[in-house]
Amino acid sequence: MTQVSMTVNGQPATGEVEGRTLLVSFLRDQIGLTGTHVGCDTSQCGACVVHVDGKAVKSCTMLALEADGAEVSTIEGQANADGTLNVIQQAFQDHHGLQCGFCTPGMVMSAAALLKENPKPTEDEIRHYLEGNICRCTGYHNIVKAIMAASGQDVAVLAAE
Amino acid sequence: MYEFDFVKPTTLADAIAALGAEEAQALGGGQTLIPTLKQRLAAPAVLVSLTGIGEMQGIELGEGQITIGGATPHAAVAAEVAAAYPALAALAGNIGDPAVRNRGTIGGSLANNDPSACYPAAALASGATIVTSNREIAADDYFEGMFTTALEDGELITAVRFPVPEAASYQKFEQPASRFALVGVFVAKYPEGVRVAVTGAAEDGVFRWSEAEVALSADFSPAALEGIDCPAEGMIADLHGTAAYRAHLVKVMTRRAVMAAAG
Ligand code: FES
Ligand code: FES
């Protein structure tokens, strides 16, 4: 076992891990942040997306020890300081961007990464960016709409499908 | 995953020393290797992470050439070479998905030489130089077949040097489930001639389609490809497509690449 230390949502987090411990296992099982989901465990679905040093990564496909010393943010760190939903989360609620909610933490983290790179994405750009995030429920339209809305763009132009 | 030890050296020299251990294996971004370990298809005793080595990171835009550190992730290539070598940036920006591109590295992709990976096509079509920890290997001598390269045990790709072409384009026909290239064709036009590299299609991995190169070097237009067909012999045949289908796609993708590059 090796000691790993990182900053998670601004708080120091330390634990003993094996070489093979995945970042997602460290987050969920060791520090109890179960908002990050494991949908596939094979880097397809994106339910496990977190940010490491500001970049979206699939935490099921990164070793915990690779994040030693890194700044990690997860879905638990997304709400505003007063506990209200942030603009992306609120837009998901307003536009019914979730049904069962399983994919939602990854969707929100991917959306946050996208809007950081590209604050006013087009519908196509949003769809392309979400290539690695799979949702079994919504058919994506409302997720795309929510991200459009979160970026401050008019969603009336999106076809109601 | 089977158990392994993990080390993360910060210099190339330390990485090479660590790779000298019994059953040691290099770990780039892990976007292929970690899934492989999960399947228990590999059982290294030690994983040597290459992500902490500064000298293997980053992109240098030089006079007529681009040098990309072996541990540079696809997302950085997509962002930083967009002006200097747009076709290469576009290729890097279409590998996997955004999260995969933040971790996966050019050196990892070339060392693995997956027969459906994109980077081998770029390296071969560009006549790139694979710079390793102990020598330089021309792309023409580097790819030796599916998952096989000229790399020796413990040899690391420290950088890849791409001569910048006059015009180029990469066209990928995606296998819709995996989004890997069912067929991908990279066409690059240099003063010395045109190079055409095909990935995804052949059982021996990436290859140069020399007949098309000769025709396109004489006349860089889609018309030059008329009457030329890529033989189906040696093409991959699986549930996603027959050998003949892949051979057909090679020509279609080559034509599209020429149109995109010439346009
Ligand atoms: S759980 Fe990581 S991509 Fe599906
Ligand atoms: S809301 Fe159910 S998987 Fe996306």
Side-chain angles (χ1 to χ4, degrees):
Chain A
M1 299 288 254
T2 314
Q3 177 161 320
V4 67
S5 306
M6 60 189 88
T7 307
V8 181
N9 302 325
Q11 302 293 319
T14 300
E16 295 279 313
V17 295
E18 294 184 338
R20 62 181 168 178
T21 304
L22 296 168
L23 177 58
V24 71
S25 322
F26 176 75
L27 294 171
R28 288 178 55 87
D29 305 337
Q30 273 176 275
I31 61 174
L33 295 180
T34 55
T36 302
H37 291 166
V38 180
C40 64
D41 201 24
T42 53
S43 14
Q44 320 285 325
C45 77
C48 65
V49 169
V50 301
H51 298 183
V52 175
D53 291 329
K55 308 252 188 238
V57 304
K58 291 183 163 172
S59 61
C60 77
T61 310
M62 178 167 177
L63 300 174
L65 286 169
E66 284 280 30
D68 191 44
E71 301 264 347
V72 176
S73 31
T74 71
I75 189 68
E76 287 88 348
Q78 298 303 297
N80 299 319
D82 64 1
T84 56
L85 298 180
N86 80 2
V87 56
I88 297 172
Q89 293 170 308
Q90 188 59 53
F92 269 69
Q93 188 182 68
D94 294 344
H95 295 277
H96 306 289
L98 61 150
Q99 287 183 27
C100 80
F102 194 85
C103 69
T104 313
M107 288 288 179
V108 169
M109 296 310 289
S110 282
L114 166 64
L115 296 184
K116 201 160 70 174
E117 267 173 44
N118 181 357
K120 296 266 183 263
T122 62
E123 180 185 349
D124 266 7
E125 287 170 338
I126 295 172
R127 289 185 186 274
H128 186 61
Y129 200 90
L130 294 181
E131 192 160 315
N133 290 80
I134 293 175
C135 174
R136 295 301 304 269
C137 302
T138 69
Y140 304 97
H141 295 304
N142 289 349
I143 293 172
V144 174
K145 204 183 264 186
I147 297 171
M148 275 289 225
S151 68
Q153 303 186 84
D154 186 8
V155 296
V157 295
L158 295 180
E161 287 172 84
Chain B
M1 282 187 269
Y2 295 112
E3 263 181 83
F4 51 77
D5 288 332
F6 173 89
V7 292
K8 191 168 175 174
T10 53
T11 65
L12 187 57
D14 287 352
I16 290 161
L19 283 167
E22 198 71 13
E23 302 289 331
Q25 156 122 42
L27 171 68
Q31 302 304 285
T32 300
L33 183 54
I34 292 176
T36 306
L37 293 169
K38 286 183 184 181
Q39 306 260 349
R40 296 193 162 183
L41 293 174
V46 188
L47 273 194
V48 181
S49 165
L50 306 178
T51 57
I53 302 170
E55 55 205 295
M56 286 178 67
Q57 290 279 350
I59 296 166
E60 208 185 288
L61 303 175
E63 197 50 45
Q65 68 173 30
I66 294 173
T67 309
I68 301 174
T72 308
H74 310 323
V77 176
E80 291 173 40
V81 309
Y85 192 165
L88 181 63
L91 173 146
N94 261 312
I95 297 173
D97 59 56
V100 166
R101 293 195 284 275
N102 281 333
R103 296 289 307 160
T105 65
I106 186 169
S109 172
L110 292 175
N112 191 42
N113 192 20
D114 187 297
S116 302
C118 297
Y119 263 128
L124 191 58
S126 306
T129 303
I130 318 295
V131 183
T132 77
S133 38
N134 48 24
R135 58 184 165 146
E136 298 198 347
I137 311 170
D140 283 322
D141 303 324
Y142 174 81
F143 299 102
E144 296 187 341
M146 204 179 259
F147 297 112
T148 315
T149 70
L151 289 178
E152 279 155 21
D153 270 356
E155 185 174 12
L156 292 173
I157 299 178
T158 55
V160 187
R161 227 166 37 226
F162 290 88
V164 177
E166 298 168 350
S169 172
Y170 177 62
Q171 297 291 322
K172 166 160 76 161
F173 190 95
E174 287 178 357
Q175 198 263 80
S178 72
R179 302 281 162 97
F180 266 83
L182 189 66
V183 169
V185 177
F186 201 111
V187 172
K189 181 175 184 285
Y190 288 92
E192 314 79 60
V194 175
R195 293 173 65 107
V196 178
V198 181
T199 188
E203 276 167 350
D204 286 338
V206 69
F207 70 96
R208 284 173 68 185
W209 186 17
S210 3
E211 235 190 314
E213 292 185 349
V214 173
L216 290 167
S217 296
D219 169 20
F220 194 62
S221 79
L225 296 167
E226 271 166 35
I228 301 177
D229 286 306
C230 179
E233 205 194 329
M235 294 287 150
I236 298 169
D238 58 19
L239 79 166
H240 305 297
T242 60
Y245 180 62
R246 279 189 169 81
H248 173 72
L249 278 180
V250 170
K251 179 163 169 175
V252 174
M253 292 296 120
T254 305
R255 193 187 310 122
R256 287 185 191 172
V258 173
M259 275 170 5

